[in-house]
Amino acid sequence: MKACVVRYGAIGDMIMASSIFPGLKAQGYHVTVNCYPSSKEIIKNDPHVDAFILQEPDEIPNAELKPYWDKMAKKFDKFINLSESVEGTLLGLPFRMTGIWPKEARAFLMDKNYLEFHHVLAGVPFVPRAKFYPTREEKQWAENERRKHRGKFVVFWSLSGSATHKISPWTDDVISRLLLTTDDVVVYLAGGPECEILEAGWEHEPRVVCCSGKWDIRKSLAFAQVSDLVVGTETGVLNAVGLEEVPKVVLLSHSSPEMLTKHWKNTTSLEPSVPCYPCRLLHYNRDYCPKAPSGSSYCAESITADQIYRAVIAYHDERKAA
């Protein structure tokens, strides 16, 4: 039997999709994933994926996707289309009616868990299995990098997500306080090349390691697994370690705990204290997510430096006391 899973998306999208692959294999399917080449990078070592059908973004015009999928589906015994399984369904889009609805209406329909919904769409029992699988070489590299700071408490900090509201304005404040109040914390800062500007000022601090634009995403995900704590907003990195035992501090923005972190292990979910949270909206600009005085979004600004510090130091102190 052959199954095809369609998912065009970014890091977090592919990690969430990975939760259904083991269930499909358990049902006896040969699993093919139709995705972008960049998405394949996230799941290329997943032992539950047998083959890929790759296409570039917009290679198939949106108006032609339905007939394209109809033709593709005939080649498989089971065809699972995860397009808009999150975006447009559980997160509203500003240019559709769901973006115009009152927040309470979106809550009524959309306050559902992302992973649970993926399993419903796939028709497989809900056993959350979302996971990133590093290669043996990537595991070894991550462990070697971690050993450079033997005896230290290593924090892996995901600096930014893919939208305006996924950047905390308090990162520098929290790191400064950690370095002043502890002698054993080492912070790794990571993100894409666009995050290099967020590392400004830390380049010569020996207890801060700047990795943005230097590490590819697989290195970042592999190292996150061996860190002592992972901190960040609603990013692919946090999704990738959500079901791992490594402690996590996640700064929520458009999702509620029910939607994102309900099944995550060893996680502190910090929620914004603003009326618009959780908006359950995807934001592509500032039209529906205005800038706060700090320059960030109001939801990001409202999770204070003190809240983040206390969540981080609690895991630090717990480890130290163990």
Side-chain angles (χ1 to χ4, degrees):
M1 298 190 299
K2 298 188 298 181
C4 181
V5 178
V6 178
R7 189 51 168 136
Y8 313 134
I11 303 165
D13 298 316
M14 296 312 301
I15 293 295
M16 284 188 268
S18 74
S19 188
I20 69 172
F21 301 154
L24 291 172
K25 294 300 290 184
Q27 291 177 345
Y29 287 99
H30 175 282
V31 177
T32 295
V33 179
N34 174 215
C35 63
Y36 298 147
S38 58
S39 304
K40 178 187 175 183
E41 282 299 302
I42 307 302
I43 58 171
K44 66 182 182 182
N45 200 48
D46 192 315
H48 307 100
V49 176
D50 300 295
F52 292 91
I53 298 174
L54 302 180
Q55 63 196 65
E56 295 290 345
D58 300 320
E59 182 176 335
I60 309 297
N62 284 345
E64 298 177 21
L65 280 172
K66 179 61 166 59
Y68 169 72
W69 289 330
D70 288 344
K71 187 174 182 178
M72 189 192 302
K74 294 176 182 178
K75 301 178 181 179
F76 296 91
D77 301 292
K78 190 167 190 175
F79 192 74
I80 301 160
N81 198 328
L82 298 181
S83 299
E84 298 194 8
S85 54
V86 175
E87 70 285 3
T89 301
L90 299 183
L91 290 175
L93 297 170
F95 46 84
R96 294 188 186 173
M97 283 304 300
T98 51
I100 300 172
W101 288 347
K103 183 174 74 112
E104 293 74 18
R106 287 195 295 275
F108 182 78
L109 284 180
M110 299 177 177
D111 199 37
K112 312 295 182 185
N113 184 259
Y114 299 136
L115 289 183
E116 291 178 11
F117 187 51
H118 278 64
H119 284 253
V120 171
L121 288 173
V124 296
F126 182 66
V127 180
R129 297 279 296 275
K131 185 174 178 62
F132 169 72
Y133 292 88
T135 64
R136 182 181 302 175
E137 293 76 17
E138 288 165 341
K139 284 183 180 179
Q140 188 62 59
W141 170 84
E143 289 167 0
N144 290 341
E145 182 68 27
R146 175 64 183 82
R147 276 195 286 268
K148 292 179 182 179
H149 307 286
R150 195 186 303 273
K152 303 295 185 181
F153 185 81
V154 174
V155 178
F156 185 86
W157 201 299
S158 176
L159 287 171
S160 173
S162 56
T164 56
H165 56 289
K166 295 185 180 183
I167 304 174
S168 172
W170 312 124
T171 300
D172 289 346
D173 301 64
V174 177
I175 294 172
S176 297
R177 187 171 172 184
L178 286 170
L179 298 185
L180 287 170
T181 58
T182 70
D183 58 6
D184 63 340
V185 169
V186 175
V187 181
Y188 277 72
L189 303 177
E194 70 282 357
C195 289
E196 290 184 53
I197 191 171
L198 300 176
E199 297 178 344
W202 294 112
E203 301 91 337
H204 304 296
E205 168 54 56
R207 293 169 60 191
V208 176
V209 183
C210 299
C211 306
S212 297
K214 300 178 182 67
W215 289 4
D216 62 32
I217 185 57
R218 291 190 62 87
K219 279 190 172 182
S220 290
L221 298 184
F223 189 75
Q225 290 185 352
V226 300
S227 300
D228 295 307
L229 177 67
V230 181
V231 181
T233 53
E234 297 186 38
T235 67
V237 173
L238 271 295
N239 275 278
V241 293
L243 299 178
E244 303 287 347
E245 292 297 336
V246 56
K248 294 160 285 287
V249 174
V250 58
L251 317 180
L252 294 175
S253 53
H254 58 195
S255 302
S256 68
E258 171 71 23
M259 298 167 78
L260 184 66
T261 60
K262 177 180 180 180
H263 301 289
W264 288 15
K265 299 178 180 179
N266 211 2
T267 301
T268 297
S269 300
L270 298 181
E271 298 185 73
S273 56
V274 289
C276 54
Y277 167 79
C279 63
R280 301 180 180 85
L281 277 174
L282 285 177
H283 297 288
Y284 301 99
N285 52 42
R286 289 290 183 187
D287 288 352
Y288 296 91
C289 189
K291 187 184 294 185
S294 64
S296 69
S297 297
Y298 279 97
C299 55
E301 183 182 86
S302 74
I303 301 176
T304 67
D306 188 61
Q307 285 178 285
I308 303 169
Y309 171 81
R310 289 181 182 279
V312 172
I313 207 67
Y315 283 115
H316 166 271
D317 292 349
E318 180 182 344
R319 174 64 62 84
K320 200 169 183 177

